[in-house]
Amino acid sequence: MLKKRIIICLDVKDGRTTKGVKFLNNIDIGDPVEMAAEYYHQGVDELVFYDIIASARGRGPILDLISRVAQQVFIPFCVGGGIGTIEDIRSTILAGAEKVSLNSQAVKNPGLITEGARVFGNQSIVLGMDVRRDPTKPSGFGTTINGGRVDTGLDALEWAKKGVSLGAGEIVLNSMDADGTKNGYDIELTRLISENVNVPVIASGGGGTPEHLADILTQGKADAALIASMVHNGTYTVGEIKKELSESGIPVRF
Protein backbone atom coordinates (compact mmCIF):
# COMPACT_ATOMS: atom_id res chain seq x y z
CA MET A 1 0.00 0.00 0.00
CA LEU A 2 1.36 3.41 -0.97
CA LYS A 3 2.30 5.61 1.94
CA LYS A 4 0.12 8.68 2.44
CA ARG A 5 1.79 12.09 2.32
CA ILE A 6 1.47 14.97 4.76
CA ILE A 7 1.98 18.32 3.04
CA ILE A 8 2.19 21.73 4.72
CA CYS A 9 0.92 24.81 2.91
CA LEU A 10 2.50 28.21 3.32
CA ASP A 11 0.15 30.91 2.02
CA VAL A 12 2.32 33.93 1.30
CA LYS A 13 1.28 37.55 0.93
CA ASP A 14 3.81 40.39 0.51
CA GLY A 15 6.64 38.03 1.46
CA ARG A 16 5.09 36.85 4.74
CA THR A 17 3.19 33.70 5.67
CA THR A 18 -0.48 34.45 6.23
CA LYS A 19 -3.57 32.49 7.28
CA GLY A 20 -7.25 33.19 6.84
CA VAL A 21 -10.61 31.44 7.06
CA LYS A 22 -12.47 30.74 3.80
CA PHE A 23 -9.95 33.01 2.07
CA LEU A 24 -10.85 36.02 4.26
CA ASN A 25 -9.39 37.93 7.24
CA ASN A 26 -5.80 36.87 6.64
CA ILE A 27 -3.30 37.58 9.42
CA ASP A 28 0.52 37.57 9.37
CA ILE A 29 1.90 34.46 11.09
CA GLY A 30 5.60 34.50 10.29
CA ASP A 31 8.55 34.26 7.96
CA PRO A 32 8.08 31.57 5.27
CA VAL A 33 11.79 30.75 5.11
CA GLU A 34 12.05 30.08 8.85
CA MET A 35 8.75 28.17 8.86
CA ALA A 36 9.82 26.00 5.92
CA ALA A 37 13.04 25.06 7.72
CA GLU A 38 11.15 24.16 10.91
CA TYR A 39 8.62 21.94 9.11
CA TYR A 40 11.37 20.22 7.14
CA HIS A 41 13.10 19.32 10.42
CA GLN A 42 9.77 18.09 11.83
CA GLY A 43 9.59 15.58 8.98
CA VAL A 44 6.93 16.90 6.62
CA ASP A 45 6.82 15.02 3.30
CA GLU A 46 6.32 18.03 1.01
CA LEU A 47 5.82 21.79 1.12
CA VAL A 48 3.45 23.91 -0.94
CA PHE A 49 4.07 27.64 -1.23
CA TYR A 50 1.20 29.77 -2.56
CA ASP A 51 1.54 33.45 -3.39
CA ILE A 52 -2.11 34.19 -2.75
CA ILE A 53 -2.24 37.63 -4.38
CA ALA A 54 0.07 37.25 -7.40
CA SER A 55 -2.69 36.35 -9.89
CA ALA A 56 -5.07 39.01 -8.60
CA ARG A 57 -2.30 41.62 -8.94
CA GLY A 58 -1.24 40.31 -12.34
CA ARG A 59 2.38 39.62 -11.43
CA GLY A 60 4.66 36.61 -11.56
CA PRO A 61 6.26 34.49 -8.83
CA ILE A 62 8.66 35.96 -6.23
CA LEU A 63 11.77 34.05 -7.32
CA ASP A 64 14.09 35.34 -4.59
CA LEU A 65 11.77 34.13 -1.83
CA ILE A 66 11.19 30.79 -3.60
CA SER A 67 14.96 30.30 -3.83
CA ARG A 68 15.48 31.07 -0.14
CA VAL A 69 12.79 28.57 0.88
CA ALA A 70 14.20 25.91 -1.48
CA GLN A 71 17.62 26.25 0.17
CA GLN A 72 16.07 25.21 3.51
CA VAL A 73 14.22 22.06 2.42
CA PHE A 74 15.32 18.83 0.76
CA ILE A 75 11.87 17.42 0.01
CA PRO A 76 9.46 18.02 -2.89
CA PHE A 77 8.50 21.70 -3.01
CA CYS A 78 5.56 23.01 -5.04
CA VAL A 79 4.99 26.68 -5.85
CA GLY A 80 1.80 28.38 -7.01
CA GLY A 81 0.59 31.90 -7.64
CA GLY A 82 1.10 34.11 -10.67
CA ILE A 83 2.65 31.41 -12.87
CA GLY A 84 1.21 32.26 -16.27
CA THR A 85 3.82 31.35 -18.89
CA ILE A 86 6.30 28.60 -19.74
CA GLU A 87 9.05 31.05 -18.77
CA ASP A 88 7.40 31.50 -15.33
CA ILE A 89 7.40 27.71 -14.91
CA ARG A 90 11.03 27.44 -15.98
CA SER A 91 12.22 30.24 -13.69
CA THR A 92 10.26 28.81 -10.73
CA ILE A 93 11.81 25.36 -11.20
CA LEU A 94 15.26 26.89 -11.65
CA ALA A 95 14.71 28.78 -8.38
CA GLY A 96 14.36 25.43 -6.61
CA ALA A 97 10.78 24.16 -6.95
CA GLU A 98 10.12 20.59 -8.10
CA LYS A 99 6.53 21.34 -9.10
CA VAL A 100 4.36 24.29 -10.04
CA SER A 101 0.68 24.64 -9.19
CA LEU A 102 -1.43 26.18 -11.96
CA ASN A 103 -4.81 27.45 -10.84
CA SER A 104 -6.15 30.78 -12.12
CA GLN A 105 -3.74 30.81 -15.05
CA ALA A 106 -4.72 27.27 -16.06
CA VAL A 107 -8.38 28.28 -16.32
CA LYS A 108 -7.48 31.35 -18.37
CA ASN A 109 -5.05 29.41 -20.59
CA PRO A 110 -5.57 25.61 -20.44
CA GLY A 111 -2.84 25.13 -23.05
CA LEU A 112 -0.32 26.11 -20.35
CA ILE A 113 -0.96 22.74 -18.64
CA THR A 114 -0.23 20.83 -21.84
CA GLU A 115 2.83 22.86 -22.76
CA GLY A 116 4.17 22.72 -19.22
CA ALA A 117 3.75 18.94 -19.08
CA ARG A 118 5.42 18.56 -22.49
CA VAL A 119 8.46 20.63 -21.51
CA PHE A 120 8.90 19.69 -17.84
CA GLY A 121 6.95 16.42 -17.45
CA ASN A 122 3.51 15.68 -16.01
CA GLN A 123 4.99 15.19 -12.54
CA SER A 124 5.98 18.88 -12.46
CA ILE A 125 2.51 20.23 -13.30
CA VAL A 126 -0.09 20.36 -10.52
CA LEU A 127 -3.65 21.52 -11.13
CA GLY A 128 -4.72 23.72 -8.22
CA MET A 129 -8.48 23.95 -7.71
CA ASP A 130 -10.38 26.29 -5.37
CA VAL A 131 -13.82 24.71 -5.17
CA ARG A 132 -17.04 25.64 -3.42
CA ARG A 133 -20.42 23.94 -3.25
CA ASP A 134 -22.75 25.10 -6.03
CA PRO A 135 -26.11 23.34 -6.48
CA THR A 136 -26.42 24.76 -10.01
CA LYS A 137 -23.48 22.64 -11.20
CA PRO A 138 -23.92 19.00 -12.36
CA SER A 139 -21.50 17.68 -9.72
CA GLY A 140 -22.73 20.07 -7.03
CA PHE A 141 -19.36 21.86 -6.97
CA GLY A 142 -18.07 24.90 -8.86
CA THR A 143 -14.57 26.26 -9.48
CA THR A 144 -13.24 29.73 -8.63
CA ILE A 145 -10.04 31.62 -9.46
CA ASN A 146 -8.08 34.67 -8.25
CA GLY A 147 -8.08 33.50 -4.66
CA GLY A 148 -11.77 32.65 -4.70
CA ARG A 149 -12.79 36.08 -5.93
CA VAL A 150 -14.03 35.03 -9.39
CA ASP A 151 -16.51 32.25 -10.24
CA THR A 152 -15.34 30.53 -13.43
CA GLY A 153 -18.67 28.89 -14.25
CA LEU A 154 -16.80 25.57 -14.53
CA ASP A 155 -18.11 22.39 -12.92
CA ALA A 156 -15.40 21.11 -10.57
CA LEU A 157 -15.54 17.47 -11.70
CA GLU A 158 -15.46 18.36 -15.39
CA TRP A 159 -12.54 20.76 -14.89
CA ALA A 160 -10.60 18.17 -12.86
CA LYS A 161 -11.03 15.59 -15.64
CA LYS A 162 -10.08 18.10 -18.31
CA GLY A 163 -7.02 19.29 -16.40
CA VAL A 164 -5.74 15.72 -16.13
CA SER A 165 -6.46 15.04 -19.81
CA LEU A 166 -4.42 18.15 -20.67
CA GLY A 167 -1.42 16.83 -18.73
CA ALA A 168 -1.68 17.68 -15.02
CA GLY A 169 0.08 14.99 -12.98
CA GLU A 170 -1.55 15.81 -9.65
CA ILE A 171 -4.46 17.84 -8.24
CA VAL A 172 -4.51 19.99 -5.12
CA LEU A 173 -8.20 20.15 -4.29
CA ASN A 174 -9.06 22.97 -1.92
CA SER A 175 -12.52 23.18 -0.39
CA MET A 176 -13.27 26.87 0.07
CA ASP A 177 -16.22 26.00 2.32
CA ALA A 178 -13.90 24.16 4.73
CA ASP A 179 -10.77 26.34 4.31
CA GLY A 180 -9.29 27.43 7.63
CA THR A 181 -12.28 26.18 9.65
CA LYS A 182 -10.36 23.23 11.23
CA ASN A 183 -13.70 21.35 11.22
CA GLY A 184 -12.64 18.60 8.83
CA TYR A 185 -12.11 18.19 5.09
CA ASP A 186 -14.90 17.92 2.52
CA ILE A 187 -15.00 14.13 2.18
CA GLU A 188 -17.78 14.13 -0.44
CA LEU A 189 -15.88 16.51 -2.74
CA THR A 190 -12.55 14.73 -2.34
CA ARG A 191 -13.97 11.27 -2.95
CA LEU A 192 -15.84 12.51 -6.03
CA ILE A 193 -12.67 13.84 -7.65
CA SER A 194 -10.40 11.00 -6.44
CA GLU A 195 -12.67 8.33 -7.91
CA ASN A 196 -12.87 10.04 -11.31
CA VAL A 197 -9.24 10.92 -12.11
CA ASN A 198 -6.16 8.69 -12.45
CA VAL A 199 -3.65 11.03 -10.79
CA PRO A 200 -2.95 11.68 -7.08
CA VAL A 201 -5.42 14.01 -5.33
CA ILE A 202 -4.24 16.15 -2.41
CA ALA A 203 -7.07 17.20 -0.09
CA SER A 204 -6.91 20.77 1.19
CA GLY A 205 -9.09 22.86 3.47
CA GLY A 206 -10.41 22.04 6.94
CA GLY A 207 -7.73 19.92 8.61
CA GLY A 208 -7.85 20.48 12.36
CA THR A 209 -7.02 17.14 13.99
CA PRO A 210 -5.22 13.92 13.03
CA GLU A 211 -8.67 12.27 12.90
CA HIS A 212 -9.65 14.65 10.11
CA LEU A 213 -6.60 13.54 8.15
CA ALA A 214 -7.39 9.88 8.80
CA ASP A 215 -10.95 10.41 7.50
CA ILE A 216 -9.92 12.17 4.29
CA LEU A 217 -7.13 9.67 3.54
CA THR A 218 -9.50 6.71 3.96
CA GLN A 219 -13.12 7.76 3.35
CA GLY A 220 -12.14 10.61 1.02
CA LYS A 221 -9.65 8.41 -0.86
CA ALA A 222 -7.09 11.25 -0.94
CA ASP A 223 -3.47 10.38 -1.67
CA ALA A 224 -2.22 13.18 0.57
CA ALA A 225 -3.54 15.71 3.06
CA LEU A 226 -2.53 19.36 3.03
CA ILE A 227 -2.46 21.11 6.40
CA ALA A 228 -1.79 24.63 7.62
CA SER A 229 -3.62 26.00 10.67
CA MET A 230 -3.16 22.93 12.87
CA VAL A 231 0.65 23.19 12.66
CA HIS A 232 0.98 26.96 12.21
CA ASN A 233 -0.75 27.57 15.54
CA GLY A 234 1.41 24.97 17.32
CA THR A 235 -1.44 22.59 18.17
CA TYR A 236 0.37 19.66 16.56
CA THR A 237 3.80 18.82 15.19
CA VAL A 238 4.24 16.78 12.02
CA GLY A 239 5.62 13.92 14.10
CA GLU A 240 2.56 13.86 16.37
CA ILE A 241 0.22 13.80 13.39
CA LYS A 242 2.14 10.97 11.69
CA LYS A 243 2.26 8.95 14.92
CA GLU A 244 -1.54 9.15 15.31
CA LEU A 245 -2.11 8.24 11.66
CA SER A 246 0.24 5.27 11.93
CA GLU A 247 -1.55 4.07 15.08
CA SER A 248 -4.80 4.29 13.10
CA GLY A 249 -3.38 1.90 10.53
CA ILE A 250 -2.60 4.51 7.88
CA PRO A 251 0.83 4.03 6.27
CA VAL A 252 2.96 7.18 6.52
CA ARG A 253 6.64 8.00 5.99
CA PHE A 254 8.76 8.41 9.12
Side-chain angles (χ1 to χ4, degrees):
M1 189 175 177
L2 281 176
K3 288 186 166 62
K4 301 290 189 178
R5 290 173 288 153
I6 306 303
I7 302 173
I8 291 180
C9 178
L10 300 173
D11 284 335
V12 176
K13 179 180 179 183
D14 298 324
R16 299 284 294 175
T17 308
T18 182
K19 194 70 195 91
V21 176
K22 300 185 180 181
F23 286 36
L24 299 171
N25 304 319
N26 285 73
I27 58 168
D28 183 319
I29 57 171
D31 173 47
V33 179
E34 292 175 3
M35 293 173 75
E38 170 60 24
Y39 294 138
Y40 170 68
H41 290 300
Q42 283 187 21
V44 73
D45 298 310
E46 296 186 24
L47 273 178
V48 176
F49 172 111
Y50 285 132
D51 187 327
I52 62 171
I53 53 173
S55 288
R57 288 184 178 172
R59 64 158 169 74
I62 309 173
L63 299 175
D64 169 60
L65 187 56
I66 293 165
S67 176
R68 286 191 289 128
V69 171
Q71 288 167 20
Q72 298 295 325
V73 301
F74 302 93
I75 49 175
F77 173 41
C78 178
V79 172
I83 298 171
T85 66
I86 287 296
E87 198 44 56
D88 286 339
I89 298 175
R90 180 177 285 109
S91 58
T92 300
I93 290 173
L94 287 173
E98 278 79 20
K99 311 177 193 179
V100 296
S101 177
L102 305 178
N103 188 327
S104 303
Q105 302 300 333
V107 170
K108 295 169 187 174
N109 175 19
L112 184 62
I113 301 173
T114 306
E115 185 67 2
R118 184 186 69 78
V119 176
F120 303 101
N122 302 68
Q123 78 288 343
S124 293
I125 306 300
V126 178
L127 178 65
M129 296 177 58
D130 292 326
V131 175
R132 61 162 58 103
R133 288 177 178 268
D134 182 347
T136 69
K137 298 291 188 294
S139 70
F141 297 94
T143 308
T144 71
I145 58 171
N146 289 3
R149 298 173 187 88
V150 178
D151 185 347
T152 64
L154 293 169
D155 178 79
L157 178 58
E158 289 309 307
W159 176 232
K161 288 179 177 176
K162 183 176 180 184
V164 171
S165 73
L166 289 169
E170 194 166 64
I171 292 174
V172 171
L173 182 65
N174 188 38
S175 165
M176 292 186 60
D177 302 299
D179 179 77
T181 64
K182 295 180 280 187
N183 292 328
Y185 297 86
D186 192 322
I187 291 172
E188 180 189 355
L189 167 64
T190 308
R191 187 190 301 124
L192 172 73
I193 303 298
S194 295
E195 289 181 340
N196 283 283
V197 297
N198 61 353
V199 300
V201 173
I202 300 165
S204 172
T209 67
E211 290 79 15
H212 292 155
L213 276 76
D215 289 344
I216 201 65
L217 294 169
T218 54
Q219 298 170 42
K221 301 190 176 179
D223 296 273
L226 191 128
I227 55 176
S229 302
M230 61 190 292
V231 285
H232 293 341
N233 60 20
T235 309
Y236 296 94
T237 65
V238 174
E240 288 167 348
I241 294 167
K242 286 188 172 185
K243 182 172 181 284
E244 288 205 33
L245 290 175
S246 180
E247 289 170 354
S248 301
I250 295 170
V252 293
R253 295 184 179 116
F254 281 102

